[in-house]
Amino acid sequence: MPRHFLTLLDLSKEELATLIKRAIELKTMLKSGKIYTPLKNKVLAMIFEKSSTRTRVSFETAMYQFGGNAIFLSPRDTQLGRGEPIEDSARVLSSMVDCIMIRTFAQESIEIFAEYSRVPVINALTDLHHPCQLLADIQTYIELRGSIQGKKVAWIGDGNNMCHSYIHAAMQFDFELAIATPSSYRPDLNLVSSANNRVLLTDDPVQAIANADLVCTDVWASMGQEGEQDQRAQLFEPYQVNSKLFALARDNALFMHCLPAHRGEEVSADVIDGDHSVVWQQAENRLHSQKALLEFLLSDQEI
Ligand code: CP
Ligand code: NVA
């Protein structure tokens, strides 16, 4: 049975810790000019049913740097967009390639795909989760501040896919997560209760951000919710991460955003472009952490 990465819970705490350590090592190796090609002749298929800049470029670059190849597949020009069953697509693609990365809408679609796939399947964002982004976020925190265990992370804004993956991260990396959302945009409550006491839910951004070590936000309307943009913008206005709100976090708090960002909406320009923001390092780390993930899932060598 192949290992899949559909949520952060698919790897153990120990595996995740090793993977982040490896991501930092791979980054150092790349920056020192070392050529390392453990995935020669391996092929990654990348299915994108939603747009992407970072995810596509980081996975494609990761495969090229590792000596392998990546194939970009969009529903517009494959049979996936013409209704070929997920089960059939999974059987066929996994008979040819070594790993399949999928960005789609329903989490259930990647679960079905994984069930019928003979090779590892990676969740590159669904409506419910974005686990690859969390690898980069945790790597970034550890690089800059050391262990995240026991720290306070504030999630301000929408209880969306990123928020859900932060809940998993709180469980796997053992930190306290304070989530502030409007009451009608809370994250999945089953997920919150499965996180035991690590998650605090509130509609008060001040309570969530107070003394936080890390402050995170994301767009108010995710891909697929563009029609709700105006209505959401009104309701979410008190949740903007601006310098007044950010001042309540710890003095050395970091600001993260998975990007793309909307300055003047979920975050003010002075925060995202300010001294506490680490969004560019966070984006770059998509490359290094996903290389560690691909190596873990695909290479015969122990990491
Ligand atoms: N953060 C992120 O997943 O970005 P893209 O949508 O550009 O891939
Ligand atoms: N929540 C956002 C994340 C984009 C990387 C979305 O799903 O559109």
Side-chain angles (χ1 to χ4, degrees), residues 35 38 44 108 115 117 126 155 177 199 227 233-234 255 287:
I35 306 285
L44 171 73
E108 199 196 352
E115 195 184 326
S117 172
T126 60
W155 177 269
L177 179 62
V199 176
Q234 274 192 342
F255 173 77
L287 170 66

Side-chain angles (χ1 to χ4, degrees), residues 40-171:
K40 269 195 193 126
N41 299 319
K42 302 270 189 199
V43 176
L44 171 73
M46 307 189 303
I47 300 171
F48 280 99
E49 298 198 306
K50 295 179 178 178
S51 306
S52 169
T53 297
R54 281 145 287 269
T55 305
R56 177 179 176 178
V57 175
S58 54
F59 268 112
E60 241 178 271
T61 304
M63 286 306 291
Y64 295 147
Q65 289 180 352
F66 269 173
N69 277 285
I71 303 174
F72 176 80
L73 299 166
S74 110
R76 274 190 302 283
D77 40 38
T78 59
Q79 301 291 3
L80 286 160
R82 296 183 59 248
E84 182 165 13
I86 297 174
E87 295 86 337
D88 296 1
S89 306
R91 286 186 181 106
V92 172
L93 284 176
S94 70
S95 72
M96 298 178 189
V97 304
D98 302 283
C99 189
I100 300 165
M101 183 237 81
I102 306 176
R103 170 168 284 196
T104 189
F105 295 85
Q107 182 76 11
E108 199 196 352
S109 304
I110 56 164
E111 283 165 7
I112 298 171
F113 202 105
E115 195 184 326
Y116 288 86
S117 172
R118 292 164 40 179
V119 301
V121 173
I122 297 172
N123 179 357
L125 184 146
T126 60
D127 291 344
L128 211 59
H129 288 288
H130 195 7
C132 290
Q133 181 68 52
L134 262 292
L135 298 179
D137 291 18
I138 301 297
Q139 178 185 346
T140 307
Y141 190 89
I142 290 175
E143 284 174 341
L144 293 165
R145 295 284 185 266
S147 173
I148 196 164
Q149 186 175 22
K151 301 289 182 187
K152 178 176 179 184
V153 178
W155 177 269
I156 314 280
D158 187 18
N160 62 11
N161 45 9
M162 277 297 300
C163 179
H164 290 153
S165 286
Y166 260 96
I167 294 172
H168 278 169
M171 296 157 75

Side-chain angles (χ1 to χ4, degrees), residues 208-225:
I209 209 166
N211 296 317
D213 299 283
L214 169 62
V215 178
C216 308
T217 190
D218 187 12
V219 289
W220 290 337
S222 286
M223 288 182 276
Q225 301 169 336

